Amino acid sequence: MSEFVKVAVKSEISDGAKLLVEADDRLVILFQVGDDYFCIDDVCTHDGGTLSDGEHEGCEIECPRHGAKFDVRTGKATCMPATQDTLAHEVKVDGDDIMVKINEE
Ligand code: FES
C-alpha cells in the first residue's frame, strides 16, 4: 500500500504552475491552483501522450498530441479524443513539504 512521499517544497511551485515530479518511481504532475495542490498521472489515456508537455489553464490541461483535456483536480477526461480518466493522486501539505500518495488503482 502506498504512503505519502515528499515530492516538492512550496517554493518550487506557484499559483497556476505545474511541476513534473517523481513519486514511487512514477512520473506525475503536481499543480497549484490558488492555495490548493493537485496531482495526476503524466499520461494521456487517449494514446499515452505526455501531459506535462501540454498547456494548462485553471483546472484543465490539454494533451499536446491530439488535444484531449483533463481536469487536474480529478483526472477526469473533459474533452475528446480521450474517453477514459487519467489517475489522480492524493496530495497533502506538511509545513513546506508537498506530499503525494500514489493511487494504485
Ligand atoms: S495522446 Fe493525448 S490526445 Fe492523443
Side-chain angles (χ1 to χ4, degrees), residues 44-49 51 63-68 70 81-82:
C44 175
T45 57
H46 174 237
D47 192 29
L51 285 179
C63 178
R65 288 191 56 205
H66 315 105
F70 297 87

Side-chain angles (χ1 to χ4, degrees), residues 40-52:
I40 62 173
D41 266 358
D42 187 25
V43 178
C44 175
T45 57
H46 174 237
D47 192 29
T50 305
L51 285 179
S52 57

Side-chain angles (χ1 to χ4, degrees), residues 45-63:
T45 57
H46 174 237
D47 192 29
T50 305
L51 285 179
S52 57
D53 291 334
E55 299 287 320
H56 86 285
E57 190 173 339
C59 291
E60 207 166 52
I61 187 160
E62 181 174 345
C63 178

